[in-house]
Amino acid sequence: MQLPKAERATVPCDYMTTECSASTDGSSVEIVGSRPGSPQVDDQPSRGDDDSSTPPDAEPQPPAPPPVDDCRPTDPTSCAVQPDTPVAPGIPQPTLADVARFAPASVPLIDEPDGVGVVGMPMNFVVDARAHDAAGTLFDLPVSVRFTPASVLFVHGDGTSRVADGGGASWAALGLAQFSATPTSHAYAARGTYTASAVIRYGAEVDFGTGWRPVPGLLEIPTTASDVQIFEVRTALVDKTCLENPGGPGC
């Protein structure tokens, strides 16, 4: 392209510049361009191939920031300093079968009033269900085991049963009169002899020195059985008591 001497003209440039201008004196061509966001510099002589030189008025660049210590839990080797965190030992999850040998012993079933009841009137059943702690060795490691009653299943022997939150309490402890209904009482519908029993359901926990860990499930410990006799009470109008007349009605 021929340009008049000492004249400027805008010519197309590559994508890195927004505008270029060129001038010539007939023997050489001077091209000046600007990039987006850069200050306009006009009439600067070309420096040829020496593009690496820094302009004298350029501001010094700050030093590069140090690398970030990317310490991630999934990659501990990336940390510059390893955290001083204890590693939990690989202890298997205990089962009820593992802790059964630490379980509490069976307890007796107490009935009120002492093995004798009346048809249609409540009998009170009591079980001494309480927490039980034991210590020993499990998986070749020292362990503490704790059993806590979760519920008690009372089986009355007449085909009925009931579940209570605890083992109940005596009439005296509850401040109730004899034959009063309680959360663990039962009234038999017919006379006869019945074998009553109960099952204590325990929840278990273990501690290997790192805190209590629950054991899945409930461990059932049956109580001793108790035979109860249920009588039917009848009333009769008599003129003498059975002591006075043993052969009288109802004696």
Side-chain angles (χ1 to χ4, degrees):
M1 178 183 295
Q2 297 292 329
L3 297 175
K5 182 178 179 181
E7 291 186 0
R8 291 182 180 270
T10 300
V11 297
C13 298
D14 59 23
Y15 73 95
M16 294 297 292
T17 63
T18 57
E19 184 179 84
C20 293
S21 62
S23 61
T24 179
D25 57 2
S27 61
S28 64
V29 177
E30 179 183 356
I31 299 176
V32 179
S34 62
R35 295 178 178 173
S38 62
Q40 299 292 333
V41 181
D42 295 333
D43 300 329
Q44 293 295 329
S46 175
R47 298 180 181 272
D49 296 334
D50 188 13
D51 295 335
S52 62
S53 61
T54 304
D57 57 347
E59 296 182 359
Q61 296 297 320
V68 178
D69 183 13
D70 187 12
C71 181
R72 293 165 291 185
T74 57
D75 186 14
T77 59
S78 65
C79 302
V81 178
Q82 297 294 329
D84 187 17
T85 303
V87 179
I91 303 175
Q93 173 62 55
T95 64
L96 289 177
D98 296 325
V99 300
R101 59 190 175 94
F102 300 99
S106 177
V107 297
L109 173 68
I110 301 172
D111 58 83
E112 295 180 316
D114 198 15
V116 178
V118 178
V119 173
M121 300 186 71
M123 286 196 69
N124 190 34
F125 295 99
V126 180
V127 171
D128 185 16
R130 63 180 64 185
H132 172 76
D133 293 338
T137 303
L138 185 61
F139 307 136
D140 295 328
L141 296 171
V143 66
S144 297
V145 186
R146 174 180 298 162
F147 295 90
T148 305
S151 63
V152 179
L153 171 66
F154 290 91
V155 181
H156 307 125
D158 61 350
T160 65
S161 62
R162 73 184 302 175
V163 177
D165 294 335
S170 66
W171 281 319
L174 296 173
L176 299 175
Q178 204 173 48
F179 297 108
S180 297
T182 71
T184 59
S185 65
H186 175 67
Y188 290 89
R191 62 185 298 175
T193 301
Y194 303 92
T195 301
S197 62
V199 176
I200 306 176
R201 296 166 174 169
Y202 292 94
E205 298 174 281
V206 296
D207 182 9
F208 290 95
T210 58
W212 290 102
R213 179 191 303 182
V215 178
L218 294 175
L219 185 64
E220 297 187 343
I221 304 296
T223 67
T224 58
S226 177
D227 290 337
V228 295
Q229 288 184 316
I230 306 300
F231 295 94
E232 186 175 0
V233 176
R234 297 177 181 177
T235 60
L237 183 60
V238 297
D239 60 348
K240 294 180 179 180
T241 65
C242 289
L243 293 177
E244 296 171 336
N245 183 16
C251 296

